[in-house]
Amino acid sequence: MSDDGGGDVTYPGARRPDRRYRVDSSGVGIAVGEWGDPDAPPLLLAHGGFDFVGTYDVFAPLLADGGRRVVAWDQRGHGDSERAALYSWAADLRDTVAVLDALGDVGPLPLVGHSKGGGMLLEVAEALPHRVSHVINLDGLPSSQAQPDRPDHERTRMLSGELAGWLDHRRASAGKQRRPGTLDELAERRGRMNPRLSMDWLRYLVTVGGFHDEEGWRWKIDPGLRMGGFGPWRPEWSLIRLPGLRMPFLGILATQPEVMGWGTQPKDLEPYLPDRAEIESWDDSGHFVHIEFPERAAERVLAFLAAHP
Amino acid sequence: MSPTYLDHGHVRLALHELRGGDGPTLLLLHPLAEHSPPTVPVDSAAWPGPVHALDFTGHGASTVPVGGGYTSEVLMADVDVALAHLGPSTILGSGLGAYVALMVAGARADLVRGAVLDDGAGLAGGGDSPGSVYLSPPLVTDGSVPDPWALAELSRDLRPADYATAFVRLALQFSGLDTPVSVAARFRPTWVAAVAAEPGVADCSVPQALTAYAGLG
């Protein structure tokens, strides 16, 4: 057992980035981590909502060992990146471009993104196709087909509760801190969002995504951020980016039901798929395909890149 | 008179008292790129109680945050912080402030005693559905107002009609008012036209709407 300082917590195959640095994105410091030979062909790797670079500590080294310079970053307010006053999808996209720009003249490169990160990269690929060679999406293709059909009055009541909860959270956000706990308590809390992931992995995640002070462990993520939410966005707004993609596209769908997953089925994507897109379902995996099956995911990514030089 | 400052996350919001006194409270929300007026505007002069005005994040005397990331939703939370200070209020919003007034009227139906939506900069937003993706290069900012990121981002945020009307339905269902929203704006982009067509929405001038809401007691 750990002494709760986390010093002896390890996870098989996990490796912290070989290099770490910060990129300035309009005044917000973005923490970047890289694995692999700095002269190897680069690959940009975007994490999902409420994740951070450390969630790639097994997957990214496998890609690096496959001959890639893997570049990942903590989205603003996540991991070791600076907390911002404001958060938005548009700001996350701009931060992505700041990381891309910091690589210099590397030519078109593959974009690999999980969940929210996958959705972000669809838009980066649409906006900057001349800088993108491949798009690989790891369970980041949302579908409204998978959403439960609810009567109007129930939707209104749910929206009312969601709005009140979010506004209450915002009112209390000044000076707020994440709730402290033991390493195991934080791992268990995270496990409620990621019920398919092992406690060993979740405990490891605490040590790389949290910090320890006199009151215990806290997640680094900005307490102003809150899971769930509302807004004008709808799943189709992500999918409409797909048909225009001209670069090779691979989408992996995880179909085991999970709290944070979309439950998207291949048939939901058919109207949107670009020519020669490759879509596959992993029926044995939940949303975090790169954590549940890191070797298989890395092999699939590397094989796809090799097949489309 | 110096404003009252209220904390909203990492932002300090400036809330201006334009007129004190007893009676129902009126809160003014300014258009995009503008700020609170120094005195009670003519349209609101007959209001029978105190009148306040809020500077949104990145505007007027409120904090200019670093690195942008504006959404209308976070401005709604700005207003909610002001309502926590003021208590139940009628809201008169212009332009961008009209959209935010609508949102908070639905989200805090128990605290908003009528929302009036008037013309002004930033009323339309970015339209009803997404266009081509545009990734803005970094903007030059020096901390002065209005924040260039606010201008860039809040003029492009999408305002689908069914999203806007969901806030009307919330206001109608939970405020206890027969007409919780009044549309005075003459410019009617898609979301405003959809709101104006909803049950529980009055179509009238600003003075008419304020007279009706002042009578709520």
Side-chain angles (χ1 to χ4, degrees):
Chain A
M1 285 292 289
S2 163
D3 63 359
D4 210 42
D8 61 350
V9 175
T10 58
Y11 188 81
R15 196 168 93 210
R16 299 264 52 212
D18 301 321
R19 295 172 297 285
R20 293 194 233 190
Y21 55 94
R22 284 174 98 75
V23 165
D24 177 85
S25 178
S26 299
V28 178
I30 301 297
V32 182
E34 290 195 14
W35 291 263
D37 182 345
D39 295 323
L43 173 156
L44 207 61
L45 185 58
H47 68 72
F50 271 63
D51 279 351
F52 40 90
V53 164
T55 59
Y56 284 132
D57 276 2
V58 174
F59 179 58
L62 292 167
L63 296 174
D65 293 346
R68 290 283 167 172
R69 171 190 175 192
V70 181
V71 181
W73 72 101
D74 290 320
Q75 291 163 22
R76 61 170 61 191
H78 295 64
D80 293 315
S81 283
E82 204 170 339
R83 293 174 180 179
L86 301 174
Y87 297 95
S88 72
W89 183 265
D92 284 330
L93 293 183
R94 285 191 279 104
D95 296 344
T96 304
V97 177
V99 173
L100 188 57
D101 287 347
L103 299 181
D105 185 15
V106 294
L109 80 172
L111 307 181
V112 182
H114 170 248
S115 194
K116 171 194 170 188
M120 286 163 46
L121 295 181
L122 293 180
E123 298 201 16
V124 172
E126 178 186 310
L128 306 172
H130 55 297
R131 300 177 69 178
V132 180
S133 64
H134 307 71
V135 175
I136 299 173
N137 185 293
L138 306 177
D139 208 35
L141 297 170
S143 165
S144 57
Q145 302 299 318
Q147 305 307 304
D149 196 16
R150 300 181 196 281
D152 278 351
H153 69 276
E154 189 183 342
R155 280 215 306 268
T156 302
R157 185 178 52 75
M158 287 176 64
L159 177 60
S160 175
E162 182 62 46
L163 286 164
W166 185 75
L167 289 173
D168 288 345
H169 180 81
R170 293 299 309 179
R171 278 189 183 185
S173 60
K176 191 181 178 78
Q177 290 198 76
R178 290 253 160 224
R179 186 156 56 100
T182 65
L183 194 154
D184 286 343
E185 285 169 346
L186 262 70
E188 282 161 16
R189 277 185 230 156
R190 178 86 190 191
R192 286 176 217 144
M193 291 193 303
N194 306 150
R196 292 177 57 86
L197 306 185
S198 73
M199 275 304 287
D200 284 347
W201 168 255
L202 295 169
R203 295 178 81 252
Y204 173 78
L205 267 196
V206 175
T207 67
V208 295
F211 65 94
H212 189 251
D213 62 17
E214 64 278 2
E215 293 185 86
W217 285 92
R218 301 175 206 268
W219 292 107
K220 293 175 183 173
I221 191 167
D222 187 344
L225 290 163
R226 185 170 181 262
M227 286 293 288
F230 60 93
W233 182 84
R234 52 207 64 194
E236 293 76 17
W237 291 3
S238 199
L239 297 183
I240 59 172
R241 307 298 174 191
L242 282 173
L245 298 183
R246 302 288 179 171
M247 62 289 291
F249 176 84
L250 169 64
I252 294 175
L253 299 177
T255 57
Q256 286 291 318
E258 189 160 9
V259 179
M260 296 184 77
W262 284 104
T264 301
Q265 301 293 324
K267 65 178 171 42
D268 303 333
L269 303 177
E270 280 169 12
Y272 302 97
L273 290 178
D275 292 343
R276 296 177 298 283
E278 296 182 29
I279 293 287
E280 55 192 55
S281 282
W282 289 13
D283 297 335
D284 53 352
S285 181
H287 184 49
F288 295 83
V289 292
H290 56 293
I291 296 173
E292 289 196 41
F293 299 102
E295 291 85 2
R296 192 204 298 171
E299 282 169 16
R300 188 67 189 90
V301 168
L302 292 168
F304 180 77
L305 296 178
H308 301 276
Chain B
M1 188 174 177
S2 61
T4 297
Y5 287 102
L6 306 171
D7 289 327
H8 177 201
H10 305 290
V11 169
R12 199 175 70 147
L13 295 168
L15 180 65
H16 305 262
E17 182 183 275
L18 306 185
R19 186 171 74 203
D22 298 324
T25 301
L26 178 64
L27 174 62
L28 307 180
L29 302 179
H30 61 77
L32 178 63
E34 296 190 20
H35 54 75
S36 297
T39 57
V40 178
V42 172
D43 269 1
S44 312
W47 182 259
V51 180
H52 294 79
L54 177 70
D55 290 333
F56 288 131
T57 296
H59 293 75
S62 292
T63 302
V64 178
V66 172
Y70 289 85
T71 60
S72 293
E73 285 72 20
V74 85
L75 301 191
M76 168 177 66
D78 283 353
V79 179
D80 184 53
V81 168
L83 289 176
H85 178 78
L86 294 172
S89 306
T90 295
I91 300 180
L92 168 56
S94 306
L96 169 67
Y99 184 56
V100 177
L102 168 70
M103 296 173 81
V104 77
R108 288 297 197 197
D110 55 331
L111 286 176
V112 178
R113 307 296 291 160
V116 187
L117 317 188
D118 197 11
D119 286 298
L123 185 67
D128 207 39
S129 58
S132 297
V133 180
Y134 172 67
L135 299 178
S136 170
L139 299 176
V140 177
T141 59
D142 60 5
S144 60
V145 291
D147 183 0
W149 284 119
L151 307 190
E153 295 176 331
L154 292 168
S155 59
R156 288 182 60 86
D157 71 316
L158 297 176
R159 300 173 190 175
D162 59 347
Y163 183 62
T165 55
F167 288 95
V168 177
R169 290 170 194 180
L170 286 167
L172 189 59
Q173 188 166 336
F174 297 111
S175 70
L177 305 181
D178 292 333
T179 52
V181 177
S182 295
V183 176
R186 283 166 291 171
F187 175 40
R188 303 271 170 111
T190 305
W191 76 264
V192 180
V195 164
E198 282 286 302
V201 177
D203 197 331
C204 58
S205 69
V206 169
Q208 286 170 333
L210 292 181
T211 299
Y213 292 137
L216 292 173

